[in-house]
Amino acid sequence: MRYFLARILQFQFYRAMCREAGHQGPLYRCSFYGNKAAGAKLNRMLSMGNSKPWPEELAALTGETQMDAAAIAEYFAPLKKWLDEQIAVNHYPVGW
């Protein structure tokens, strides 16, 4: 369960860091490498340690108090679009 939740949080954190860095454009193209503002925000969240409930720590970084898998869908949206086009063009069967 922890690995499943970590994957959701990974993309949610990534989206929050990209927003903090001021990234415009598709999420998969974002890099916040070396961005001081994004790093400071991550540091503030990490410095809380285990002192606050996890929703408060999540809100400190993302501005959201609940886990949200929408960041995964946003990141992979171009791939999904391409796959949907391939399925339609090539008439691939979908499903079991």
Coordinates of all heavy atoms in Angstrom, one line a residue:
M1 N 0.8 -1.2 0.0 CA 0.0 0.0 0.0 C 0.9 1.3 0.0 O 0.6 2.2 -0.7 CB -0.9 0.0 1.2 CG -1.9 1.1 1.2 SD -2.9 1.2 -0.2 CE -4.4 0.5 0.4
R2 N 2.0 1.2 0.7 CA 2.8 2.4 0.8 C 3.4 2.8 -0.5 O 3.5 3.9 -0.8 CB 3.8 2.2 1.9 CG 5.2 2.1 1.5 CD 6.2 2.1 2.6 NE 6.7 0.7 2.7 CZ 7.7 0.4 3.4 NH1 8.4 1.3 4.1 NH2 8.2 -0.8 3.4
Y3 N 3.7 1.8 -1.4 CA 4.3 2.1 -2.7 C 3.2 2.6 -3.6 O 3.5 3.5 -4.4 CB 4.9 0.8 -3.3 CG 6.2 0.4 -2.5 CD1 6.2 -0.8 -1.8 CD2 7.3 1.1 -2.5 CE1 7.3 -1.2 -1.1 CE2 8.4 0.7 -1.8 CZ 8.4 -0.4 -1.1 OH 9.5 -0.8 -0.4
F4 N 2.0 2.1 -3.5 CA 0.9 2.7 -4.3 C 0.7 4.1 -4.0 O 0.6 5.0 -4.8 CB -0.3 1.8 -4.0 CG -1.6 2.3 -4.7 CD1 -1.8 2.2 -6.0 CD2 -2.5 3.0 -3.9 CE1 -2.9 2.7 -6.6 CE2 -3.7 3.5 -4.5 CZ -3.9 3.3 -5.9
L5 N 0.6 4.4 -2.7 CA 0.4 5.8 -2.2 C 1.5 6.7 -2.6 O 1.4 7.9 -3.0 CB 0.1 5.9 -0.7 CG -1.2 5.1 -0.3 CD1 -1.3 5.1 1.2 CD2 -2.4 5.7 -1.0
A6 N 2.7 6.2 -2.5 CA 3.9 7.0 -2.8 C 3.9 7.4 -4.3 O 4.3 8.5 -4.6 CB 5.2 6.2 -2.5
R7 N 3.4 6.5 -5.2 CA 3.4 6.8 -6.6 C 2.4 8.0 -6.8 O 2.7 8.9 -7.6 CB 3.0 5.6 -7.4 CG 3.1 5.8 -8.9 CD 4.5 5.9 -9.3 NE 5.3 4.8 -8.9 CZ 6.6 4.7 -9.0 NH1 7.3 5.6 -9.6 NH2 7.2 3.7 -8.5
I8 N 1.3 8.0 -6.2 CA 0.3 9.1 -6.3 C 0.9 10.4 -5.8 O 0.9 11.4 -6.5 CB -1.0 8.7 -5.6 CG1 -1.7 7.6 -6.3 CG2 -1.9 10.0 -5.5 CD1 -2.9 7.0 -5.5
L9 N 1.5 10.3 -4.6 CA 2.1 11.5 -4.0 C 3.3 12.0 -4.8 O 3.5 13.2 -4.9 CB 2.5 11.2 -2.6 CG 1.4 11.1 -1.6 CD1 1.9 10.5 -0.3 CD2 0.6 12.4 -1.4
Q10 N 4.0 11.1 -5.4 CA 5.2 11.5 -6.2 C 4.7 12.5 -7.3 O 5.4 13.5 -7.5 CB 5.8 10.3 -6.9 CG 6.9 10.6 -7.9 CD 7.4 9.3 -8.6 OE1 7.0 8.2 -8.2 NE2 8.3 9.5 -9.5
F11 N 3.7 12.1 -8.1 CA 3.2 13.0 -9.2 C 2.6 14.3 -8.6 O 2.7 15.3 -9.2 CB 2.3 12.2 -10.1 CG 3.0 11.3 -11.0 CD1 3.3 10.0 -10.7 CD2 3.5 11.8 -12.2 CE1 4.0 9.2 -11.6 CE2 4.2 11.0 -13.1 CZ 4.5 9.7 -12.8
Q12 N 1.9 14.2 -7.5 CA 1.3 15.3 -6.9 C 2.3 16.3 -6.4 O 2.2 17.5 -6.7 CB 0.3 14.9 -5.7 CG -0.6 16.0 -5.3 CD -1.6 15.5 -4.3 OE1 -1.6 14.3 -3.9 NE2 -2.5 16.4 -3.8
F13 N 3.4 15.8 -5.8 CA 4.5 16.7 -5.4 C 5.2 17.3 -6.7 O 5.5 18.5 -6.7 CB 5.5 15.9 -4.6 CG 5.1 15.5 -3.3 CD1 6.0 14.7 -2.5 CD2 3.9 15.9 -2.7 CE1 5.6 14.3 -1.2 CE2 3.6 15.5 -1.4 CZ 4.4 14.7 -0.7
Y14 N 5.4 16.5 -7.7 CA 6.0 17.0 -8.9 C 5.2 18.1 -9.5 O 5.8 19.2 -9.9 CB 6.1 15.8 -9.9 CG 6.7 16.2 -11.2 CD1 8.1 16.5 -11.4 CD2 5.9 16.2 -12.4 CE1 8.6 16.8 -12.6 CE2 6.5 16.5 -13.6 CZ 7.8 16.8 -13.7 OH 8.4 17.1 -14.9
R15 N 3.9 18.0 -9.6 CA 3.1 19.0 -10.2 C 3.1 20.3 -9.3 O 3.2 21.4 -9.8 CB 1.6 18.5 -10.3 CG 0.7 19.6 -10.8 CD -0.7 19.1 -11.0 NE -1.3 18.7 -9.7 CZ -2.4 18.1 -9.5 NH1 -3.2 17.7 -10.5 NH2 -2.8 17.8 -8.3
A16 N 3.1 20.1 -8.0 CA 3.2 21.3 -7.1 C 4.6 22.0 -7.3 O 4.6 23.3 -7.3 CB 3.0 20.9 -5.7
M17 N 5.6 21.3 -7.4 CA 7.0 21.9 -7.6 C 7.1 22.6 -8.9 O 7.6 23.7 -9.0 CB 8.0 20.8 -7.5 CG 8.1 20.1 -6.1 SD 8.7 21.1 -4.8 CE 10.5 21.0 -5.2
C18 N 6.5 22.0 -9.9 CA 6.5 22.7 -11.3 C 5.7 24.0 -11.2 O 6.1 25.0 -11.8 CB 5.9 21.8 -12.3 SG 7.0 20.4 -12.7
R19 N 4.6 24.0 -10.5 CA 3.8 25.2 -10.4 C 4.6 26.3 -9.6 O 4.5 27.4 -10.0 CB 2.4 24.9 -9.6 CG 1.5 24.1 -10.5 CD 0.2 23.8 -9.7 NE -0.8 23.1 -10.6 CZ -1.8 22.5 -10.1 NH1 -2.1 22.4 -8.8 NH2 -2.6 21.9 -10.9
E20 N 5.2 25.8 -8.6 CA 6.0 26.8 -7.8 C 7.2 27.4 -8.6 O 7.5 28.5 -8.4 CB 6.6 26.1 -6.5 CG 7.3 27.0 -5.6 CD 6.4 28.0 -4.9 OE1 5.2 27.8 -4.7 OE2 7.0 29.1 -4.6
A21 N 7.7 26.6 -9.5 CA 8.8 27.0 -10.4 C 8.3 27.9 -11.5 O 9.1 28.5 -12.2 CB 9.6 25.8 -10.9
G22 N 7.0 28.0 -11.6 CA 6.4 28.9 -12.7 C 6.4 28.2 -14.0 O 6.3 28.9 -15.1
H23 N 6.4 26.9 -14.1 CA 6.4 26.2 -15.4 C 5.0 26.4 -16.1 O 4.0 26.3 -15.5 CB 6.6 24.7 -15.1 CG 6.4 23.9 -16.4 ND1 7.4 23.8 -17.4 CD2 5.4 23.1 -16.8 CE1 6.9 23.1 -18.4 NE2 5.8 22.6 -18.0
Q24 N 5.2 26.7 -17.4 CA 4.0 26.8 -18.3 C 4.1 25.7 -19.3 O 5.2 25.5 -19.8 CB 4.0 28.2 -19.0 CG 3.9 29.3 -18.0 CD 2.6 29.4 -17.3 OE1 1.5 29.2 -17.9 NE2 2.6 29.7 -16.0
G25 N 3.1 25.0 -19.6 CA 3.1 24.0 -20.6 C 2.8 22.6 -20.1 O 2.4 22.5 -18.9
P26 N 3.0 21.6 -20.9 CA 2.7 20.2 -20.4 C 3.5 19.8 -19.2 O 4.7 20.2 -19.1 CB 3.0 19.4 -21.6 CG 3.3 20.3 -22.8 CD 3.6 21.6 -22.2
L27 N 2.9 19.1 -18.3 CA 3.6 18.7 -17.1 C 4.8 17.9 -17.4 O 5.8 18.0 -16.7 CB 2.6 18.0 -16.2 CG 3.1 17.7 -14.8 CD1 3.5 19.0 -14.0 CD2 2.0 16.9 -14.0
Y28 N 4.8 17.0 -18.4 CA 5.9 16.1 -18.6 C 7.1 16.8 -19.1 O 8.2 16.3 -19.1 CB 5.5 15.0 -19.6 CG 5.4 15.5 -21.1 CD1 6.5 15.3 -21.9 CD2 4.3 16.0 -21.6 CE1 6.5 15.7 -23.2 CE2 4.2 16.5 -22.9 CZ 5.3 16.3 -23.7 OH 5.2 16.7 -25.0
R29 N 7.0 18.1 -19.5 CA 8.1 18.9 -20.0 C 8.8 19.7 -18.8 O 9.7 20.5 -19.1 CB 7.7 19.8 -21.1 CG 7.1 19.2 -22.3 CD 8.2 18.5 -23.1 NE 9.2 19.5 -23.4 CZ 9.9 19.6 -24.5 NH1 9.7 18.7 -25.5 NH2 10.8 20.5 -24.7
C30 N 8.3 19.6 -17.7 CA 8.7 20.5 -16.6 C 10.0 20.0 -16.0 O 10.2 18.8 -15.8 CB 7.6 20.5 -15.5 SG 8.2 21.4 -14.0
S31 N 10.9 21.0 -15.6 CA 12.0 20.7 -14.8 C 12.2 21.9 -13.8 O 12.2 23.0 -14.2 CB 13.3 20.6 -15.7 OG 14.4 20.5 -14.9
F32 N 12.2 21.5 -12.6 CA 12.4 22.6 -11.6 C 13.8 22.5 -11.0 O 14.1 23.1 -9.9 CB 11.4 22.5 -10.5 CG 11.2 21.1 -9.9 CD1 12.0 20.6 -8.9 CD2 10.1 20.3 -10.4 CE1 11.8 19.4 -8.4 CE2 9.9 19.0 -9.8 CZ 10.8 18.6 -8.9
Y33 N 14.7 21.9 -11.7 CA 16.1 21.7 -11.3 C 16.7 23.1 -11.0 O 16.7 24.0 -11.9 CB 16.9 21.0 -12.3 CG 18.4 20.8 -12.0 CD1 18.8 19.9 -11.1 CD2 19.3 21.7 -12.5 CE1 20.1 19.7 -10.8 CE2 20.7 21.6 -12.2 CZ 21.1 20.6 -11.3 OH 22.4 20.5 -11.0
G34 N 17.3 23.3 -9.8 CA 17.9 24.5 -9.5 C 17.0 25.7 -9.1 O 17.5 26.8 -8.9
N35 N 15.7 25.4 -9.1 CA 14.8 26.5 -8.8 C 14.7 26.7 -7.3 O 14.3 25.8 -6.6 CB 13.4 26.2 -9.4 CG 12.4 27.3 -9.2 OD1 11.9 27.5 -8.1 ND2 12.2 28.1 -10.3
K36 N 15.1 27.9 -6.9 CA 15.2 28.2 -5.4 C 13.9 28.2 -4.8 O 13.7 27.7 -3.6 CB 15.9 29.6 -5.2 CG 17.3 29.7 -5.8 CD 18.3 29.0 -4.9 CE 19.7 29.3 -5.4 NZ 20.6 28.4 -4.9
A37 N 12.8 28.8 -5.4 CA 11.5 28.8 -4.8 C 10.9 27.4 -4.6 O 10.4 27.2 -3.5 CB 10.6 29.7 -5.7
A38 N 11.1 26.6 -5.6 CA 10.5 25.2 -5.5 C 11.3 24.5 -4.4 O 10.7 23.7 -3.6 CB 10.6 24.5 -6.8
G39 N 12.6 24.6 -4.3 CA 13.4 24.0 -3.3 C 13.1 24.5 -1.9 O 13.0 23.7 -1.0
A40 N 12.8 25.8 -1.8 CA 12.5 26.3 -0.4 C 11.1 25.8 0.0 O 11.0 25.4 1.2 CB 12.4 27.8 -0.5
K41 N 10.2 25.6 -0.9 CA 8.9 25.1 -0.5 C 9.0 23.6 -0.1 O 8.4 23.2 0.9 CB 7.9 25.3 -1.7 CG 6.5 25.0 -1.3 CD 5.5 25.5 -2.4 CE 4.1 25.6 -1.8 NZ 3.2 26.1 -2.7
L42 N 9.8 22.9 -0.8 CA 10.0 21.5 -0.5 C 10.7 21.4 0.9 O 10.3 20.6 1.7 CB 10.8 20.8 -1.5 CG 11.1 19.3 -1.3 CD1 9.8 18.5 -1.2 CD2 12.0 18.7 -2.3
N43 N 11.7 22.2 1.1 CA 12.4 22.2 2.4 C 11.4 22.5 3.6 O 11.5 21.9 4.6 CB 13.5 23.3 2.4 CG 14.8 22.6 2.4 OD1 15.0 21.5 2.6 ND2 15.9 23.5 2.2
R44 N 10.5 23.5 3.4 CA 9.6 23.8 4.4 C 8.7 22.6 4.8 O 8.4 22.4 5.9 CB 8.7 25.0 4.0 CG 9.4 26.4 4.2 CD 8.4 27.5 4.0 NE 7.7 27.5 2.8 CZ 8.1 28.1 1.6 NH1 9.3 28.7 1.6 NH2 7.4 28.1 0.5
M45 N 8.3 21.9 3.7 CA 7.4 20.8 4.0 C 8.2 19.7 4.7 O 7.8 19.1 5.7 CB 6.8 20.2 2.7 CG 5.8 19.2 3.0 SD 5.8 17.6 2.3 CE 7.2 17.2 1.5
L46 N 9.4 19.4 4.2 CA 10.3 18.3 4.8 C 10.7 18.7 6.2 O 10.9 17.8 7.1 CB 11.5 18.1 3.9 CG 11.2 17.4 2.6 CD1 12.5 17.3 1.8 CD2 10.5 16.1 2.7
S47 N 10.9 19.9 6.5 CA 11.3 20.3 7.9 C 10.3 20.1 8.9 O 10.6 20.1 10.1 CB 11.7 21.8 7.9 OG 10.6 22.6 7.7
M48 N 9.0 19.9 8.5 CA 7.9 19.6 9.5 C 8.2 18.2 10.1 O 7.7 18.0 11.2 CB 6.6 19.6 8.8 CG 6.1 21.0 8.4 SD 4.5 20.8 7.5 CE 4.2 22.5 7.2
G49 N 8.8 17.3 9.4 CA 9.1 16.0 9.9 C 7.8 15.3 10.1 O 6.9 15.3 9.3
N50 N 7.6 14.8 11.3 CA 6.4 14.1 11.7 C 5.6 14.9 12.7 O 4.9 14.4 13.5 CB 6.8 12.7 12.3 CG 5.6 11.7 12.3 OD1 4.7 11.9 11.6 ND2 5.8 10.7 13.1
S51 N 5.8 16.2 12.8 CA 5.3 17.0 13.8 C 3.8 17.4 13.5 O 3.1 17.8 14.4 CB 6.1 18.3 13.9 OG 6.0 19.1 12.7
K52 N 3.4 17.3 12.3 CA 2.0 17.7 11.9 C 1.3 16.5 11.3 O 1.9 15.6 10.7 CB 2.0 18.8 10.9 CG 2.8 20.1 11.4 CD 1.8 21.1 11.8 CE 2.7 22.4 12.1 NZ 2.1 23.2 13.1
P53 N 0.0 16.5 11.3 CA -0.8 15.5 10.5 C -0.4 15.6 9.0 O -0.2 16.7 8.5 CB -2.2 15.8 10.7 CG -2.2 16.7 11.9 CD -0.9 17.4 12.0
W54 N -0.4 14.4 8.3 CA 0.0 14.4 6.9 C -0.8 15.3 6.0 O -0.2 15.9 5.1 CB 0.1 13.0 6.4 CG -1.2 12.3 6.2 CD1 -1.9 11.5 7.0 CD2 -2.1 12.4 5.0 NE1 -3.1 11.1 6.5 CE2 -3.2 11.6 5.3 CE3 -2.0 13.1 3.8 CZ2 -4.2 11.5 4.3 CZ3 -3.0 13.0 2.9 CH2 -4.1 12.2 3.2
P55 N -2.1 15.5 6.3 CA -2.8 16.5 5.4 C -2.3 17.9 5.4 O -2.2 18.6 4.4 CB -4.3 16.4 5.8 CG -4.4 15.1 6.4 CD -3.1 14.8 7.1
E56 N -1.8 18.3 6.6 CA -1.2 19.6 6.8 C 0.1 19.7 6.0 O 0.4 20.7 5.4 CB -1.0 20.0 8.2 CG -2.3 20.3 9.0 CD -2.1 20.7 10.4 OE1 -1.1 21.4 10.7 OE2 -2.9 20.3 11.2
E57 N 0.9 18.7 6.1 CA 2.2 18.6 5.4 C 2.0 18.6 3.9 O 2.7 19.3 3.2 CB 3.0 17.5 5.9 CG 3.4 17.6 7.3 CD 4.3 16.4 7.8 OE1 4.8 15.6 7.0 OE2 4.5 16.3 9.0
L58 N 1.0 17.9 3.5 CA 0.7 17.9 2.0 C 0.2 19.2 1.6 O 0.7 19.7 0.5 CB -0.4 16.8 1.8 CG -0.9 16.7 0.3 CD1 0.2 16.2 -0.6 CD2 -2.1 15.7 0.3
A59 N -0.6 19.9 2.4 CA -1.0 21.2 2.0 C 0.1 22.3 2.0 O 0.1 23.2 1.2 CB -2.1 21.7 3.0
A60 N 1.1 22.1 2.8 CA 2.3 23.0 2.8 C 3.0 23.0 1.5 O 3.5 24.0 1.0 CB 3.2 22.6 3.9
L61 N 3.0 21.8 0.8 CA 3.7 21.8 -0.5 C 2.8 22.0 -1.7 O 3.1 22.7 -2.6 CB 4.4 20.4 -0.6 CG 5.2 20.2 -1.9 CD1 6.3 21.2 -2.1 CD2 5.7 18.8 -2.0
T62 N 1.6 21.3 -1.6 CA 0.7 21.3 -2.8 C -0.4 22.3 -2.7 O -1.0 22.6 -3.7 CB 0.1 19.9 -3.0 OG1 -0.8 19.6 -1.9 CG2 1.2 18.8 -3.1
G63 N -0.8 22.7 -1.5 CA -2.0 23.6 -1.4 C -3.2 22.8 -1.3 O -4.3 23.3 -1.2
E64 N -3.1 21.4 -1.3 CA -4.3 20.5 -1.3 C -4.2 19.7 0.0 O -3.1 19.3 0.4 CB -4.3 19.6 -2.5 CG -4.3 20.4 -3.8 CD -3.8 19.6 -5.0 OE1 -3.2 18.5 -4.8 OE2 -4.0 20.0 -6.1
T65 N -5.3 19.3 0.6 CA -5.3 18.5 1.8 C -5.6 17.1 1.5 O -5.6 16.3 2.5 CB -6.3 19.1 2.8 OG1 -7.6 19.1 2.2 CG2 -5.9 20.5 3.3
Q66 N -5.9 16.7 0.3 CA -6.2 15.3 0.0 C -5.3 14.8 -1.2 O -4.8 15.6 -2.0 CB -7.6 15.2 -0.5 CG -8.6 15.5 0.6 CD -10.0 15.2 0.2 OE1 -10.3 14.9 -1.0 NE2 -11.0 15.4 1.1
M67 N -5.0 13.5 -1.1 CA -4.2 13.0 -2.2 C -5.1 13.0 -3.5 O -6.3 12.9 -3.4 CB -3.8 11.5 -1.9 CG -2.7 11.4 -1.0 SD -2.1 9.7 -0.8 CE -3.4 9.1 0.3
D68 N -4.4 13.3 -4.6 CA -5.1 13.5 -5.9 C -4.3 12.8 -7.0 O -3.2 13.3 -7.3 CB -5.3 15.0 -6.1 CG -6.0 15.2 -7.4 OD1 -6.7 14.3 -8.0 OD2 -6.0 16.4 -7.9
A69 N -4.9 11.8 -7.6 CA -4.2 11.1 -8.7 C -4.3 11.8 -10.1 O -3.8 11.4 -11.1 CB -4.7 9.7 -8.8
A70 N -4.9 13.0 -10.1 CA -5.1 13.7 -11.3 C -3.8 14.2 -11.9 O -3.6 14.3 -13.1 CB -6.0 15.0 -11.1
A71 N -2.8 14.4 -11.1 CA -1.4 14.7 -11.6 C -0.8 13.6 -12.5 O -0.1 13.9 -13.4 CB -0.5 15.1 -10.5
I72 N -1.1 12.4 -12.2 CA -0.6 11.3 -13.0 C -1.3 11.3 -14.3 O -0.6 11.2 -15.4 CB -0.9 9.9 -12.3 CG1 -0.2 9.8 -11.0 CG2 -0.5 8.8 -13.2 CD1 -0.5 8.6 -10.2
A73 N -2.6 11.5 -14.4 CA -3.3 11.6 -15.6 C -2.9 12.8 -16.4 O -2.7 12.7 -17.7 CB -4.8 11.7 -15.4
E74 N -2.6 14.0 -15.8 CA -2.1 15.1 -16.5 C -0.7 14.9 -17.1 O -0.4 15.3 -18.2 CB -2.0 16.3 -15.5 CG -1.6 17.6 -16.1 CD -1.5 18.8 -15.1 OE1 -2.1 18.7 -14.0 OE2 -0.8 19.8 -15.5
Y75 N 0.2 14.2 -16.4 CA 1.5 13.9 -16.8 C 1.5 13.0 -18.1 O 2.2 13.2 -19.0 CB 2.3 13.3 -15.7 CG 3.8 13.0 -16.1 CD1 4.7 14.0 -15.8 CD2 4.2 11.8 -16.7 CE1 6.1 13.8 -16.2 CE2 5.5 11.6 -17.0 CZ 6.4 12.6 -16.7 OH 7.7 12.3 -17.1
F76 N 0.6 12.0 -18.0 CA 0.6 11.0 -19.1 C -0.5 11.3 -20.2 O -0.7 10.5 -21.1 CB 0.4 9.6 -18.6 CG 1.6 9.1 -17.8 CD1 1.6 9.0 -16.5 CD2 2.7 8.7 -18.5 CE1 2.7 8.5 -15.8 CE2 3.9 8.3 -17.9 CZ 3.9 8.1 -16.5
A77 N -1.1 12.5 -20.1 CA -2.1 12.9 -21.1 C -1.7 12.8 -22.5 O -2.4 12.2 -23.4 CB -2.7 14.2 -20.8
P78 N -0.5 13.3 -22.9 CA 0.0 13.2 -24.3 C 0.1 11.7 -24.7 O -0.2 11.4 -25.9 CB 1.3 13.9 -24.3 CG 1.3 14.8 -23.2 CD 0.5 14.1 -22.1
L79 N 0.6 10.8 -23.8 CA 0.7 9.4 -24.2 C -0.7 8.8 -24.4 O -0.9 8.0 -25.3 CB 1.5 8.7 -23.1 CG 1.6 7.2 -23.2 CD1 2.3 6.8 -24.5 CD2 2.3 6.6 -22.0
K80 N -1.6 9.1 -23.5 CA -2.9 8.6 -23.6 C -3.6 9.0 -24.9 O -4.2 8.2 -25.6 CB -3.8 9.0 -22.5 CG -5.2 8.4 -22.6 CD -6.1 8.8 -21.5 CE -7.5 8.2 -21.5 NZ -8.0 7.9 -22.8
K81 N -3.4 10.3 -25.3 CA -3.9 10.8 -26.6 C -3.4 10.0 -27.7 O -4.1 9.6 -28.6 CB -3.6 12.3 -26.7 CG -4.1 12.9 -28.0 CD -3.8 14.4 -28.0 CE -4.3 15.0 -29.3 NZ -3.3 15.5 -30.2
W82 N -2.0 9.8 -27.7 CA -1.4 9.1 -28.8 C -1.9 7.6 -28.9 O -2.2 7.1 -29.9 CB 0.1 9.1 -28.6 CG 0.8 8.4 -29.7 CD1 1.2 8.9 -31.0 CD2 1.3 7.0 -29.7 NE1 1.8 7.9 -31.7 CE2 1.9 6.8 -30.9 CE3 1.3 6.0 -28.7 CZ2 2.5 5.6 -31.2 CZ3 1.9 4.8 -29.0 CH2 2.5 4.6 -30.3
L83 N -2.0 7.0 -27.7 CA -2.5 5.6 -27.7 C -3.9 5.5 -28.2 O -4.3 4.6 -28.9 CB -2.4 5.0 -26.3 CG -1.0 4.7 -25.8 CD1 -1.0 4.4 -24.3 CD2 -0.4 3.6 -26.6
D84 N -4.8 6.5 -27.8 CA -6.2 6.5 -28.3 C -6.2 6.6 -29.8 O -7.0 6.0 -30.5 CB -7.0 7.6 -27.6 CG -7.2 7.3 -26.1 OD1 -7.1 6.2 -25.7 OD2 -7.6 8.3 -25.4
E85 N -5.3 7.5 -30.3 CA -5.3 7.6 -31.8 C -4.8 6.3 -32.5 O -5.4 6.0 -33.5 CB -4.3 8.8 -32.2 CG -4.8 10.1 -31.8 CD -3.7 11.2 -31.9 OE1 -2.6 10.9 -32.3 OE2 -4.1 12.4 -31.6
Q86 N -3.8 5.7 -31.9 CA -3.4 4.4 -32.5 C -4.4 3.3 -32.4 O -4.6 2.6 -33.4 CB -2.1 3.9 -31.7 CG -0.9 4.9 -31.9 CD -0.6 5.1 -33.3 OE1 -0.4 4.2 -34.1 NE2 -0.5 6.4 -33.7
I87 N -5.2 3.3 -31.4 CA -6.3 2.3 -31.2 C -7.3 2.6 -32.3 O -7.8 1.7 -32.9 CB -6.9 2.4 -29.8 CG1 -5.9 1.8 -28.8 CG2 -8.2 1.6 -29.8 CD1 -6.2 2.1 -27.4
A88 N -7.7 3.9 -32.5 CA -8.7 4.2 -33.5 C -8.2 3.9 -34.9 O -9.0 3.4 -35.7 CB -9.1 5.7 -33.3
V89 N -7.0 4.3 -35.2 CA -6.5 4.2 -36.6 C -6.3 2.7 -37.0 O -6.6 2.3 -38.1 CB -5.2 5.0 -36.8 CG1 -4.4 4.6 -38.0 CG2 -5.4 6.4 -36.7
N90 N -5.7 2.0 -36.0 CA -5.4 0.6 -36.3 C -6.4 -0.4 -35.9 O -6.2 -1.6 -36.1 CB -4.0 0.2 -35.6 CG -2.9 1.1 -36.2 OD1 -2.7 1.1 -37.4 ND2 -2.2 1.8 -35.3
H91 N -7.5 0.0 -35.3 CA -8.6 -0.8 -34.9 C -8.2 -1.9 -33.9 O -8.6 -3.1 -34.1 CB -9.4 -1.4 -36.1 CG -9.8 -0.4 -37.1 ND1 -10.8 0.5 -36.8 CD2 -9.3 -0.1 -38.3 CE1 -11.0 1.3 -37.9 NE2 -10.1 1.0 -38.8
Y92 N -7.3 -1.6 -33.0 CA -6.8 -2.5 -32.0 C -8.0 -2.9 -31.1 O -8.7 -2.0 -30.6 CB -5.7 -2.0 -31.2 CG -4.4 -1.8 -32.0 CD1 -3.7 -0.6 -31.9 CD2 -3.9 -2.8 -32.8 CE1 -2.5 -0.4 -32.6 CE2 -2.7 -2.6 -33.5 CZ -2.0 -1.5 -33.4 OH -0.9 -1.3 -34.1
P93 N -8.1 -4.1 -30.7 CA -9.2 -4.4 -29.8 C -8.7 -4.0 -28.4 O -7.6 -4.1 -28.0 CB -9.3 -6.0 -29.8 CG -7.9 -6.4 -30.4 CD -7.4 -5.3 -31.2
V94 N -9.7 -3.4 -27.6 CA -9.4 -3.0 -26.3 C -10.2 -3.8 -25.3 O -11.4 -3.9 -25.5 CB -9.7 -1.5 -26.1 CG1 -9.5 -1.0 -24.7 CG2 -8.9 -0.7 -27.1
G95 N -9.6 -4.2 -24.2 CA -10.3 -5.0 -23.2 C -9.8 -6.4 -23.1 O -8.7 -6.7 -23.6
W96 N -10.5 -7.2 -22.4 CA -10.0 -8.6 -22.2 C -10.4 -9.4 -23.4 O -10.9 -10.1 -23.8 CB -10.7 -9.1 -20.9 CG -10.3 -8.3 -19.7 CD1 -10.9 -7.3 -19.1 CD2 -9.0 -8.4 -19.0 NE1 -10.2 -6.8 -18.1 CE2 -9.1 -7.5 -18.0 CE3 -7.9 -9.3 -19.1 CZ2 -8.0 -7.3 -17.1 CZ3 -6.9 -9.1 -18.2 CH2 -7.0 -8.2 -17.2

